Amino acid sequence: MSTYLPRQCGLATYTADLREALGVATDDLESVVVAIDRDGLTYGDEVVATITQDRIEDYSSAVRVLREAGVQVVLIQHEYGIFGGPDGSHLLELTRALNACGIPYLLTLHTVLPHPSPGQAATLRALCARAARVTVFTETARRVAIRTGIAAGHQLIVVPHGAPDAMRRPPAADTLRPALRDLLDTVRGKPTLTTFGLLGKGKGIDIAIDALAEVVRKHPDVQYIVAGTTHPEIKRQEGEVYRDSLHEQVRRLGLTGNVHFVDAFLALDELSAILHASTLFVTPYRQPEQICSGALTFALGAGLPAVSTAYSYAEDMLAGGAGRVVPIGDGAALGAEIIDLLGDARALAAAKTVAEACAAWLPWPAVAAREADLIADVVRQSEAASARPGHATAAAPPLNLDHLVRLTDEIGIIQFATGPNPELSSGYCVDDVARLAIVAADLLAVGTDARQTAEATRWLRQSIRFLTAAYDPSGAMHNVLSYGGTWQDWPHMGDHVGRTVWALGVLVGTPAVPDDIRRPAAALLDELGPRTDALGALGLRSAAYALIGLARAGRTELAAPLLNRLDEALVETSTADPAWRWFEPELTYDNARLPQAMLLGAALLEDDAAATRALAALDWYAQHVGLADGTLRCVGNKWHHRGEPSGLWVADDGDEQPLDAAAVTEALVDAWQHTSDPHLAGLAGWAFAWFLGRNRAGARMYVDATGACHDGLSSTEPNGNQGAESTLAYYQALFSLLRAGLAALPHPVAATTPVPTSLPTATLAKPTNKGRVVGRASAGFSATATPPRLRSTEDHSDAL
């Protein structure tokens, strides 16, 4: 789907070349064309439908034709200005119709703007979100698309712009029209510069002519061929004003004997003849963001070195030495580089050698083979998806507990890591130990081998000891424990208390947890439970964590106040702004826990109205973070505030956090279990795939070799550190899918670290009101007058 010959534009030529090359590359593909038309042209038999550019009804009508023809996949060539509607938005009508009838599409971006307008960004983002694949011509274009939020990294694939095979060798002279033969005779034996393509001010030919005036002072016999008719749209609006100005410029500078205009849309053999008669190709374009140039591709396909202004595509293609790049609009620099190359035979030969190397991998057959592989892959995936009834059971990566084993010791789990290495000085915290308890209980619940069962049981026992020791009779809890065994904070209420209630609820409500662990968990839950009402006043997340735990344990008598707190917040905020259907006027961290907790609490208390509101909030959030379009984009550490026009897709809103990806995965799993809606199961799978590379950077967060998870994700790459919170977040998300039957492990992989046969006791100490450290005996921890370090740093490292 594109503009198409006989329309005279580069995109039409590209599409015709691609179609022809696909026919040569494989016998398995039969292609037809939907032509985007503006002038009432007559097309060949391969064009099965014509879309009048500005008639929106033509876009959906074309899909009906494709469906009746049995088309399995559509390749859309996207360029600004060829589709109707504001910012080309008529094309969305077509892609919605394709999605509705189950025909996948690939999108090729011929322009990727570094600073698109809001309308351009919104339209292109919606097109990319529904695409099976998005292809760009260079790695720079891929990076720009990711940075601007146009598409996610896992969708984007670099497929070079092809060059026709005809560019590899010149045609026989007697096959050319007489006027072209005469031109080639004129330039034969002389240094010749060439620019070709549809003429317009953006091509910067005037800059090249100014540069030529300097070049001929050093090399008087230099010739310059400017080949190509005026762009039809420019000719329609302005006539030949620009071409006439170029002729006048040539006369004024005294270059009539050096410059030759070819006012025609040239055939491939004619272009090849001109390029092979040339010494240098020149692209003096004015748009630095231009990410593709068919003309430069053709020149390199002919093995012709180039001198170009520094637009994106030229910088990429000439970086290896196939030419020189100068600043945009700098005619003096352009002339200087041309003079330098023409005067240095060795440098010119070196550039030509690199250009000829480019010519070996640019021909259309090689590019079309890559495109054909993508098409076949998309068709296979589409057929497999249509063959699966309801929701799919996805294969999860093999279970690997090595990194968790490395982070844990006899006290708990080390908070942070530098790279994969535990940062011992960070100590331990209740938040992470509570997460570890949840993961360990789930590990027992999903069924594992004997070694993993032993590891999970060990983690559960040390977790309940740690949480019990952190509890203070006042009803509050410590949170941070140093590696040396002393509490670093006073007992207080906060998220860590809510997470503790959550973990205790999971231990109490999971049948696979041994009784000797469930009993102290229930006792501690009885202590903390009556105090959970106070958490609502501290923050919605503290209340949400506690409500999840109470729901898991079935504690109906304590859940109602927390459910009411969340429900009131949701109603209040969404009533104030119906477009912002959320609990707070901003999105911060661990966001999906709020609707998840509200849904679980409503289900526990059989409050159908609250459950409906929770599901609506979760649906709103899933759309806000991109899941509705297939790719999760978590709220970064620059939070989203109600009323901000940029919303989610700002250029860079900070690193995304694994705990947010885990939260939305688990929330959607619970929503699916509540509703049996297979759409929610699919969204849960997409959310979990964030860990496996389905994210804006296309980066795998989960480390298969060790079972670790990276700490954060920027727009281009993951954070190198692999701490407890992130790794546990991955396992919480994974185990939620496994428990629900939405994923399956391929086979168990045992942890490599031996499980200790006995657990040493250790000392925890806390600050008193006088600031001194005293021992505290509690739930399996022995007290000493002066709490020592557990052991030397060296010994501790060996144990890990």
Side-chain angles (χ1 to χ4, degrees):
M1 178 169 299
S2 173
T3 57
Y4 196 66
L5 299 178
R7 185 166 173 173
Q8 294 184 355
C9 73
L11 193 62
T13 302
Y14 172 91
T15 304
D17 290 344
L18 173 60
R19 180 176 180 272
E20 180 181 357
L22 284 172
V24 174
T26 175
D27 296 329
D28 298 331
L29 293 176
E30 179 183 353
S31 61
V32 294
V33 177
V34 174
I36 308 299
D37 184 76
R38 182 195 52 203
D39 304 311
L41 300 175
T42 300
Y43 297 94
D45 292 341
E46 68 272 24
V47 177
V48 297
T50 302
I51 294 175
T52 301
Q53 176 175 316
D54 296 315
R55 285 173 54 89
I56 190 169
E57 58 268 27
D58 283 7
Y59 289 81
S60 52
S61 297
V63 175
R64 288 195 291 272
V65 173
L66 297 180
R67 187 175 66 245
E68 292 167 2
V71 165
Q72 292 174 279
V73 64
V74 175
L75 279 68
I76 299 175
Q77 307 302 320
H78 182 274
E79 181 60 277
Y80 292 102
I82 71 167
F83 300 106
D87 300 302
S89 57
H90 282 2
L91 185 57
L92 292 173
E93 187 73 16
L94 182 141
T95 58
R96 280 192 288 265
L98 288 175
N99 288 150
C101 62
I103 301 176
Y105 66 90
L106 291 89
L107 191 70
T108 297
L109 304 183
H110 288 255
T111 297
V112 180
L113 299 174
H115 304 290
S117 71
Q120 290 171 329
T123 298
L124 194 51
R125 189 178 304 127
L127 290 170
C128 292
R130 299 186 179 100
R133 297 286 191 282
V134 180
T135 65
V136 290
F137 296 119
T138 65
E139 184 59 36
T140 294
R142 183 179 183 274
R143 288 195 298 269
V144 172
I146 293 172
R147 179 178 56 78
T148 56
I150 293 301
H154 76 272
Q155 296 176 292
L156 288 158
I157 298 172
V158 176
V159 178
H161 188 303
D165 241 5
M167 297 299 108
R168 300 292 299 275
R169 58 198 67 82
D174 58 5
T175 64
L176 303 173
R177 50 182 161 170
L180 184 55
R181 287 203 304 269
D182 291 345
L183 173 61
L184 297 181
D185 286 341
T186 300
V187 302
R188 183 173 291 113
K190 301 174 183 177
T192 301
L193 315 176
T194 291
T195 299
F196 81 85
L198 296 175
L199 238 59
K201 292 179 182 178
K203 294 297 177 69
I205 306 300
D206 52 309
I207 298 172
I209 292 173
D210 279 339
L212 184 67
E214 294 300 318
V215 173
V216 297
R217 290 190 176 93
K218 293 285 185 179
H219 305 280
D221 57 345
V222 166
Q223 306 293 298
Y224 182 31
I225 299 174
V226 181
T229 187
T230 300
H231 194 289
E233 190 61 33
I234 294 175
K235 193 171 184 178
R236 183 193 310 272
Q237 296 177 8
E238 303 175 8
E240 295 287 7
V241 173
Y242 184 61
R243 181 181 293 275
D244 291 344
S245 72
L246 296 178
H247 281 279
E248 173 58 31
Q249 183 183 9
V250 168
R251 288 192 293 270
R252 186 177 71 254
L253 294 174
L255 298 173
T256 52
N258 302 89
V259 181
H260 310 275
F261 290 95
V262 180
D263 185 2
F265 192 78
L266 299 174
L268 288 179
D269 60 338
E270 294 173 323
L271 285 174
S272 180
I274 291 174
L275 293 174
H276 281 278
S278 301
T279 311
L280 285 171
F281 192 68
V282 180
T283 53
Y285 300 165
R286 284 188 161 94
Q287 296 86 12
E289 67 274 6
Q290 184 169 337
I291 56 105
C292 178
S293 168
L296 180 56
T297 304
F298 280 31
L300 293 175
L304 183 63
V307 178
S308 175
T309 51
Y311 59 93
S312 174
Y313 189 71
E315 289 181 309
D316 278 351
M317 299 301 289
L318 303 182
R324 305 281 178 85
V325 176
V326 303
I328 294 283
D330 192 337
L334 187 70
E337 292 293 350
I338 293 171
I339 291 169
D340 186 60
L341 280 172
L342 294 179
D344 188 339
R346 181 175 296 180
L348 182 61
K352 185 169 182 60
T353 298
V354 178
E356 289 171 344
C358 293
W361 56 265
L362 281 174
W364 268 118
V367 173
R370 173 69 169 135
E371 194 85 31
D373 287 342
L374 281 177
I375 293 168
D377 184 48
V378 168
V379 171
R380 280 193 300 269
Q381 290 186 13
S382 177
E383 290 173 343
S386 63
R388 289 194 296 262
H391 69 271
T393 300
L399 196 58
N400 186 344
L401 303 179
D402 286 357
H403 191 63
L404 279 182
V405 170
R406 191 179 193 196
L407 288 176
T408 53
D409 60 18
E410 64 275 18
I411 294 296
I413 185 165
I414 301 297
Q415 287 192 77
F416 305 138
T418 302
N421 301 312
E423 189 177 309
L424 303 181
S425 62
S426 67
Y428 321 84
C429 71
V430 163
D431 285 300
D432 287 341
V433 171
R435 293 185 181 101
L436 178 64
I438 294 168
V439 166
D442 283 345
L443 184 57
L444 290 180
V446 299
T448 55
D449 62 27
R451 181 171 293 275
Q452 291 167 354
T453 298
E455 198 71 75
T457 304
R458 179 172 76 92
W459 290 337
L460 285 173
R461 289 202 169 100
Q462 67 189 51
S463 294
I464 194 61
R465 288 168 51 211
F466 190 104
L467 297 175
T468 302
Y471 176 69
D472 186 86
S474 67
M477 296 183 71
H478 297 283
N479 188 19
V480 180
L481 179 74
S482 75
Y483 185 67
T486 57
W487 291 112
Q488 302 300 292
D489 56 355
W490 296 95
H492 62 286
M493 301 295 283
D495 283 1
H496 65 299
V497 178
R499 288 192 183 278
T500 298
V501 174
W502 179 1
L504 296 172
V506 169
L507 299 189
V508 170
T510 303
V513 172
D515 287 342
D516 65 325
I517 297 170
R518 187 183 297 107
R519 283 193 298 270
L524 186 54
L525 184 58
D526 289 338
E527 290 282 339
L528 282 173
R531 307 175 191 278
T532 55
D533 190 19
L535 291 175
L538 297 175
L540 292 183
R541 277 155 192 76
S542 298
Y545 301 148
L547 182 54
I548 294 172
L550 295 173
R552 298 293 193 214
R555 299 291 180 90
T556 56
E557 71 282 3
L558 300 172
L562 298 177
L563 173 62
N564 292 337
R565 175 74 179 90
L566 289 170
D567 198 5
E568 289 168 1
L570 176 60
V571 170
E572 179 181 351
T573 307
S574 56
T575 300
D577 183 357
W580 185 267
R581 302 185 68 178
W582 197 242
F583 301 80
E584 301 165 311
E586 64 276 321
L587 291 165
T588 57
Y589 65 96
D590 226 0
N591 295 292
R593 297 302 181 193
L594 303 182
Q596 179 192 11
M598 183 171 168
L599 177 61
L600 292 175
L604 178 68
L605 296 170
E606 300 181 351
D607 186 339
D608 292 340
T612 299
R613 288 190 288 272
L615 289 168
L618 180 59
D619 177 70
W620 177 89
Y621 180 70
Q623 293 185 51
H624 186 89
V625 295
L627 270 177
D629 294 322
T631 302
L632 173 63
R633 170 82 179 268
C634 300
V635 175
N637 49 27
K638 297 177 184 176
W639 294 345
H640 298 178
H641 298 275
R642 182 177 61 192
E644 289 179 341
S646 54
L648 173 65
W649 296 98
V650 293
D652 185 7
D653 61 354
D655 284 5
E656 300 175 49
Q657 303 300 314
L659 88 165
D660 268 300
V664 70
T665 302
E666 293 180 68
L668 287 164
V669 169
D670 284 334
W672 173 72
Q673 291 180 312
H674 183 82
T675 64
S676 300
D677 183 350
H679 174 66
L680 294 172
L683 292 181
W686 283 352
F688 178 71
W690 181 92
F691 290 98
L692 307 180
R694 191 183 181 111
N695 51 52
R696 61 170 168 165
R700 196 171 179 87
M701 300 295 290
Y702 176 66
V703 182
D704 296 80
T706 63
C709 179
H710 291 281
D711 279 354
L713 177 72
S714 73
S715 61
T716 57
E717 62 186 356
N719 186 301
N721 298 331
Q722 299 160 19
E725 177 187 288
S726 302
T727 300
L728 291 167
Y730 168 81
Y731 284 106
Q732 282 190 248
L734 170 63
F735 289 148
S736 72
L737 291 168
L738 294 175
R739 283 189 287 102
L742 297 178
L745 293 172
H747 56 80
V749 178
T752 58
T753 306
V755 179
T757 56
S758 62
L759 299 177
T761 59
T763 298
L764 300 184
K766 66 171 184 176
T768 69
N769 57 0
K770 294 184 179 179
R772 62 189 179 89
V773 178
V774 297
R776 177 168 183 265
S778 176
F781 290 87
S782 63
T784 61
T786 305
R789 285 189 57 83
L790 296 173
R791 58 175 68 89
S792 71
T793 301
E794 291 77 10
D795 289 342
H796 207 290
S797 299
D798 291 341
L800 292 175

